[in-house]
Amino acid sequence: GEDVEQSLFLSVREGDSSVINCTYTDSSSTYLYWYKQEPGAGLQLLTYIFSNMDMKQDQRLTVLLNKKDKHLSLRIADTQTGDSAIYFCAESNTDKLIFGTGTRLQVFP
Amino acid sequence: DVKVTQSSRYLVKRTGEKVFLECVQDMDHENMFWYRQDPGLGLRLIYFSYDVKMKEKGDIPEGYSVSREKKERFSLILESASTNQTSMYLCASSSLSGRENNEQFFGPGTRLTVL
């Protein structure tokens, strides 16, 4: 079945860039997503990319998609303490989303 | 502001009790989902529903059932709670595939502890 994988932890210094990586197996994915979960809260959509794109930029966020390698990344420029959260990669080609395990981003001063 | 609400943020139950988790959305969405979230395992789909009175099993339906009597409400039922059902439960909703980007909107979660 479909599978989405992420590393579990990432630690960065405030002001540096963060790069969170994700690999997936379903080549028919239509959309790929990055969700953010702050402590004690549900998930909130951060950004998404359509499968026929290879890059999307939104302020401090850059999403890169390599369809050939089934690799998705999220770059956060000038990382702030408020970016500390769990980041979930997800993919879909139907109404269902398949989520990764989540990457816990810790930002230290 | 669009919203998905869940009936409780924290719940403590005893083994063998019947547990109801309620979820309500105000976006007139067709699709509703129940997930559980456990450290290192991400989100796993328990059940989902495409329409009123309709339900489909997700990846881990054992020990759970659901009810969708109205479009805005999707209930998760633990018939006889067990300690391995201690988890964070997340409800989500979305509009039908193809209309938008399949974005799912999440509730704040219910942290259930079964003693």
Side-chain angles (χ1 to χ4, degrees), chain A residues 8 30-31 33 35 37 40-45 48 86 88 92-102, chain B residues 9 31 33 35 37 40-43 45 48 50 90 94-97 100-104 106-109:
Chain A
L8 290 180
T30 308
Y31 294 100
Y33 312 82
Y35 277 82
Q37 184 183 35
L43 277 67
Q44 192 165 12
L45 183 66
Y48 70 94
I86 302 175
F88 289 92
S92 82
N93 65 357
T94 65
D95 297 86
K96 289 198 296 181
L97 267 62
I98 308 298
F99 286 89
T101 54
Chain B
R9 293 300 305 272
N31 301 329
F33 307 83
Y35 297 90
Q37 180 182 7
L41 296 178
L43 271 69
L45 183 63
F48 59 102
Y50 290 141
L90 292 165
S94 68
S95 57
L96 275 177
S97 176
E100 294 176 25
N101 62 2
N102 295 352
E103 177 183 357
Q104 290 186 11
F106 282 81

Coordinates of all heavy atoms in Angstrom, one line a residue, chain A residues 8 30-31 33 35 37 40-45 48 86 88 92-102, chain B residues 9 31 33 35 37 40-43 45 48 50 90 94-97 100-104 106-109:
Chain A
L8 N 12.1 11.7 12.2 CA 11.2 12.0 13.4 C 11.6 13.4 14.0 O 10.7 14.0 14.6 CB 11.3 10.9 14.5 CG 10.7 9.6 14.1 CD1 10.8 8.6 15.2 CD2 9.2 9.8 13.8
T30 N -2.0 13.1 -6.5 CA -2.4 14.3 -7.2 C -1.9 15.5 -6.5 O -1.5 16.5 -7.1 CB -3.9 14.3 -7.3 OG1 -4.4 13.1 -7.8 CG2 -4.4 15.5 -8.1
Y31 N -2.1 15.5 -5.1 CA -1.6 16.6 -4.3 C -0.7 16.1 -3.2 O -0.8 15.0 -2.8 CB -2.8 17.3 -3.6 CG -3.8 18.0 -4.5 CD1 -5.0 17.3 -4.9 CD2 -3.5 19.3 -5.0 CE1 -5.9 18.0 -5.7 CE2 -4.4 19.9 -5.8 CZ -5.6 19.3 -6.2 OH -6.5 19.9 -7.0
Y33 N 1.1 17.6 0.5 CA 0.8 18.6 1.5 C 1.8 18.7 2.6 O 2.5 17.7 2.9 CB -0.6 18.3 2.2 CG -1.7 17.9 1.3 CD1 -1.9 16.6 0.8 CD2 -2.7 18.9 1.0 CE1 -2.9 16.3 0.0 CE2 -3.8 18.5 0.2 CZ -3.9 17.2 -0.3 OH -5.0 16.9 -1.1
Y35 N 1.4 19.8 6.6 CA 0.5 20.2 7.7 C 1.4 20.5 8.9 O 2.5 19.9 9.1 CB -0.4 19.1 8.1 CG -1.7 19.1 7.2 CD1 -1.7 18.4 6.0 CD2 -2.9 19.6 7.7 CE1 -2.9 18.3 5.3 CE2 -4.1 19.6 6.9 CZ -4.0 18.9 5.7 OH -5.2 18.8 5.0
Q37 N 1.4 21.0 13.2 CA 0.6 20.7 14.4 C 1.4 21.4 15.5 O 2.5 20.9 15.9 CB 0.5 19.2 14.7 CG -0.4 19.0 15.9 CD -0.5 17.5 16.2 OE1 0.4 16.7 16.0 NE2 -1.7 17.0 16.7
G40 N -0.6 20.6 21.5 CA -2.0 20.6 22.0 C -3.1 21.0 21.0 O -4.2 21.2 21.4
A41 N -2.7 21.0 19.8 CA -3.7 21.4 18.7 C -3.9 20.4 17.7 O -3.1 19.4 17.6 CB -3.3 22.8 18.1
G42 N -4.9 20.6 16.8 CA -5.0 19.8 15.6 C -4.1 20.2 14.5 O -3.2 21.1 14.7
L43 N -4.2 19.5 13.4 CA -3.3 19.9 12.3 C -3.9 21.0 11.5 O -5.1 21.1 11.3 CB -3.2 18.7 11.3 CG -2.2 17.6 11.7 CD1 -2.6 16.9 13.0 CD2 -2.0 16.6 10.6
Q44 N -3.0 21.8 10.9 CA -3.4 22.9 10.1 C -2.6 22.9 8.8 O -1.4 22.7 8.8 CB -3.2 24.3 10.8 CG -3.8 25.4 10.2 CD -3.9 26.6 11.1 OE1 -3.2 26.6 12.2 NE2 -4.6 27.6 10.8
L45 N -3.3 23.1 7.7 CA -2.6 23.0 6.4 C -1.7 24.2 6.3 O -2.1 25.4 6.4 CB -3.6 23.1 5.2 CG -3.0 23.0 3.8 CD1 -2.3 21.6 3.6 CD2 -4.0 23.2 2.7
Y48 N 0.5 23.3 0.1 CA 0.3 22.1 -0.7 C 0.9 22.4 -2.1 O 1.1 23.5 -2.5 CB -1.1 21.7 -0.8 CG -2.0 22.5 -1.6 CD1 -2.2 22.3 -3.0 CD2 -2.6 23.7 -1.1 CE1 -3.0 23.1 -3.7 CE2 -3.4 24.5 -1.9 CZ -3.6 24.2 -3.2 OH -4.4 25.0 -3.9
I86 N 5.2 20.0 15.1 CA 5.4 18.8 14.3 C 4.9 19.1 12.9 O 3.8 19.6 12.7 CB 4.6 17.6 14.9 CG1 5.0 17.4 16.4 CG2 4.8 16.3 14.1 CD1 4.2 16.3 17.1
F88 N 3.8 17.4 9.3 CA 3.4 16.2 8.6 C 3.3 16.4 7.1 O 2.8 17.4 6.6 CB 2.0 15.8 9.1 CG 1.9 15.3 10.5 CD1 1.6 16.2 11.5 CD2 2.1 14.0 10.8 CE1 1.5 15.7 12.8 CE2 2.0 13.5 12.1 CZ 1.7 14.4 13.1
S92 N -2.2 12.5 -1.6 CA -3.6 12.0 -1.9 C -3.7 11.9 -3.4 O -3.1 12.7 -4.2 CB -4.7 12.9 -1.3 OG -4.9 14.0 -2.1
N93 N -4.6 11.0 -3.8 CA -5.1 11.0 -5.2 C -6.6 10.7 -5.1 O -7.2 10.6 -6.2 CB -4.4 10.0 -6.1 CG -4.6 8.6 -5.6 OD1 -5.2 8.3 -4.6 ND2 -4.0 7.7 -6.4
T94 N -7.1 10.7 -3.9 CA -8.6 10.5 -3.7 C -9.0 11.4 -2.6 O -8.3 12.3 -2.2 CB -8.9 9.0 -3.4 OG1 -8.3 8.7 -2.1 CG2 -8.3 8.0 -4.4
D95 N -10.2 11.1 -2.0 CA -10.6 11.9 -0.8 C -9.7 11.6 0.4 O -9.6 12.4 1.3 CB -12.0 11.6 -0.5 CG -13.0 12.0 -1.6 OD1 -13.2 11.2 -2.5 OD2 -13.5 13.1 -1.5
K96 N -9.0 10.4 0.4 CA -8.2 10.1 1.6 C -6.8 10.7 1.5 O -6.3 10.8 0.4 CB -8.1 8.6 1.7 CG -9.4 7.9 2.1 CD -9.1 6.5 2.6 CE -8.5 5.6 1.6 NZ -8.3 4.2 2.1
L97 N -6.3 11.1 2.6 CA -4.9 11.5 2.7 C -4.1 10.4 3.4 O -4.5 9.8 4.4 CB -4.8 12.8 3.5 CG -4.8 14.1 2.7 CD1 -6.1 14.3 2.0 CD2 -4.6 15.3 3.6
I98 N -2.9 10.2 3.0 CA -1.9 9.3 3.6 C -0.9 10.2 4.3 O -0.2 11.0 3.6 CB -1.3 8.3 2.6 CG1 -2.3 7.6 1.8 CG2 -0.4 7.3 3.4 CD1 -3.3 6.8 2.6
F99 N -0.7 10.1 5.6 CA 0.2 10.9 6.3 C 1.5 10.2 6.7 O 1.5 9.0 6.9 CB -0.5 11.4 7.7 CG -1.6 12.4 7.5 CD1 -2.9 12.0 7.2 CD2 -1.3 13.8 7.5 CE1 -3.9 13.0 7.1 CE2 -2.3 14.7 7.4 CZ -3.6 14.3 7.1
G100 N 2.5 11.0 6.8 CA 3.8 10.5 7.3 C 3.7 10.5 8.8 O 2.7 10.9 9.4
T101 N 4.9 10.1 9.4 CA 4.9 10.0 10.8 C 5.1 11.3 11.5 O 4.9 11.4 12.7 CB 6.2 9.1 11.2 OG1 7.3 9.7 10.6 CG2 6.0 7.7 10.8
G102 N 5.4 12.4 10.8 CA 5.6 13.7 11.4 C 7.1 13.9 11.8 O 7.7 13.0 12.2
Chain B
R9 N -11.7 17.8 25.0 CA -10.3 17.9 24.8 C -9.6 16.8 25.5 O -8.6 16.3 25.0 CB -9.7 19.3 25.3 CG -10.2 20.5 24.5 CD -9.8 20.4 23.0 NE -8.4 20.2 22.8 CZ -7.5 21.2 22.7 NH1 -7.9 22.4 22.8 NH2 -6.3 20.9 22.5
N31 N -17.2 14.8 3.3 CA -16.3 13.8 3.9 C -16.0 14.1 5.3 O -15.7 15.3 5.7 CB -15.0 13.8 3.1 CG -15.2 13.5 1.7 OD1 -16.1 12.8 1.3 ND2 -14.3 14.0 0.8
F33 N -13.7 12.3 8.8 CA -12.6 11.3 9.0 C -12.4 11.2 10.5 O -12.4 12.2 11.2 CB -11.3 11.6 8.3 CG -11.5 11.9 6.9 CD1 -11.8 13.1 6.4 CD2 -11.2 10.9 6.0 CE1 -12.0 13.3 5.0 CE2 -11.3 11.1 4.6 CZ -11.7 12.3 4.1
Y35 N -9.1 9.9 12.9 CA -7.8 9.4 13.0 C -7.4 9.2 14.5 O -7.9 9.8 15.3 CB -6.8 10.4 12.4 CG -6.9 10.7 11.0 CD1 -7.7 11.8 10.6 CD2 -6.2 10.0 10.0 CE1 -7.8 12.1 9.2 CE2 -6.3 10.3 8.7 CZ -7.1 11.4 8.3 OH -7.2 11.7 6.9
Q37 N -3.7 9.4 16.7 CA -2.3 9.9 16.5 C -1.5 9.3 17.7 O -1.8 9.6 18.9 CB -2.2 11.4 16.5 CG -0.8 11.9 16.4 CD -0.7 13.4 16.5 OE1 -1.7 14.1 16.7 NE2 0.4 14.0 16.2
G40 N 5.5 8.6 16.9 CA 6.3 7.7 16.0 C 5.5 7.0 15.0 O 6.0 6.3 14.1
L41 N 4.2 7.1 15.1 CA 3.3 6.4 14.1 C 2.5 7.3 13.2 O 1.8 6.9 12.3 CB 2.3 5.4 14.8 CG 2.9 4.3 15.6 CD1 1.9 3.5 16.4 CD2 3.8 3.4 14.7
G42 N 2.5 8.6 13.5 CA 1.8 9.6 12.7 C 0.3 9.4 12.9 O -0.2 9.0 14.0
L43 N -0.4 9.8 11.9 CA -1.9 9.7 11.9 C -2.3 8.4 11.2 O -1.9 8.1 10.1 CB -2.5 10.9 11.2 CG -2.8 12.1 12.0 CD1 -1.5 12.7 12.4 CD2 -3.7 13.1 11.2
L45 N -5.7 6.2 9.9 CA -7.2 6.4 9.7 C -7.9 5.2 10.3 O -7.7 4.1 10.0 CB -7.4 6.5 8.2 CG -8.8 6.7 7.7 CD1 -9.3 8.1 8.2 CD2 -8.9 6.6 6.2
F48 N -13.9 6.5 7.9 CA -14.3 7.7 7.2 C -15.7 7.6 6.6 O -16.2 6.5 6.6 CB -13.3 8.2 6.2 CG -13.0 7.2 5.1 CD1 -13.6 7.4 3.8 CD2 -12.2 6.1 5.2 CE1 -13.4 6.5 2.8 CE2 -11.9 5.2 4.2 CZ -12.6 5.4 3.0
Y50 N -18.3 9.3 3.5 CA -18.5 10.2 2.3 C -19.9 10.8 2.3 O -20.1 11.7 1.5 CB -18.4 9.4 1.0 CG -17.0 8.9 0.7 CD1 -16.8 7.7 0.2 CD2 -15.9 9.7 1.0 CE1 -15.5 7.2 -0.1 CE2 -14.6 9.3 0.7 CZ -14.4 8.0 0.1 OH -13.2 7.6 -0.2
L90 N -8.2 12.5 16.4 CA -8.4 13.7 15.6 C -9.5 13.4 14.6 O -9.5 12.4 13.9 CB -7.1 14.0 14.9 CG -6.0 14.5 15.8 CD1 -4.7 14.5 15.0 CD2 -6.2 15.9 16.3
S94 N -13.6 17.3 4.9 CA -13.2 17.9 3.6 C -14.4 17.8 2.6 O -15.3 17.1 2.8 CB -12.0 17.1 3.0 OG -12.4 15.8 2.6
S95 N -14.3 18.6 1.6 CA -15.3 18.6 0.5 C -14.9 17.4 -0.4 O -13.9 16.9 -0.3 CB -15.4 19.9 -0.2 OG -14.1 20.3 -0.7
L96 N -15.8 17.1 -1.3 CA -15.6 16.0 -2.2 C -14.4 16.2 -3.0 O -14.1 17.3 -3.5 CB -16.9 15.8 -3.1 CG -18.0 15.0 -2.5 CD1 -19.2 15.0 -3.6 CD2 -17.6 13.6 -2.2
S97 N -13.7 15.1 -3.3 CA -12.5 15.1 -4.1 C -12.8 15.7 -5.5 O -13.8 15.5 -6.1 CB -12.0 13.6 -4.4 OG -10.9 13.6 -5.2
E100 N -11.9 20.8 -4.7 CA -10.8 21.7 -4.3 C -9.6 20.9 -4.2 O -9.4 20.0 -4.9 CB -11.2 22.4 -2.9 CG -12.4 23.3 -3.0 CD -12.9 23.8 -1.7 OE1 -12.1 23.9 -0.8 OE2 -14.1 24.2 -1.6
N101 N -8.7 21.2 -3.3 CA -7.4 20.6 -3.2 C -7.4 19.4 -2.3 O -6.3 19.0 -1.8 CB -6.3 21.6 -2.9 CG -6.5 22.2 -1.5 OD1 -7.5 21.8 -0.8 ND2 -5.7 23.1 -1.1
N102 N -8.5 18.9 -1.9 CA -8.7 17.7 -1.0 C -8.2 18.1 0.4 O -8.0 17.2 1.2 CB -7.9 16.5 -1.5 CG -8.5 15.9 -2.7 OD1 -9.6 16.4 -3.2 ND2 -7.9 15.0 -3.3
E103 N -8.1 19.4 0.7 CA -7.6 19.8 2.0 C -8.6 19.3 3.1 O -9.8 19.4 3.0 CB -7.5 21.3 2.2 CG -7.1 21.8 3.6 CD -7.1 23.3 3.7 OE1 -7.4 24.0 2.7 OE2 -6.8 23.7 4.9
Q104 N -8.0 18.7 4.1 CA -8.8 18.3 5.3 C -8.6 19.3 6.4 O -7.5 19.8 6.7 CB -8.3 16.9 5.8 CG -8.7 15.8 4.8 CD -8.4 14.4 5.3 OE1 -8.1 14.2 6.4 NE2 -8.6 13.4 4.4
F106 N -9.0 20.0 10.4 CA -8.9 19.2 11.6 C -9.5 19.9 12.8 O -9.4 21.1 13.0 CB -7.5 18.9 11.9 CG -6.9 17.8 11.1 CD1 -6.5 18.0 9.8 CD2 -6.9 16.5 11.5 CE1 -6.0 17.0 9.0 CE2 -6.4 15.4 10.7 CZ -6.0 15.7 9.4
G107 N -10.1 19.1 13.7 CA -10.5 19.6 15.0 C -9.3 19.6 15.9 O -8.2 19.2 15.6
P108 N -9.5 20.1 17.2 CA -8.3 20.2 18.1 C -7.9 18.9 18.7 O -6.8 18.9 19.3 CB -8.9 21.2 19.2 CG -10.3 20.9 19.2 CD -10.7 20.6 17.7
G109 N -8.6 17.9 18.6 CA -8.2 16.6 19.1 C -8.8 16.3 20.5 O -9.1 17.2 21.2

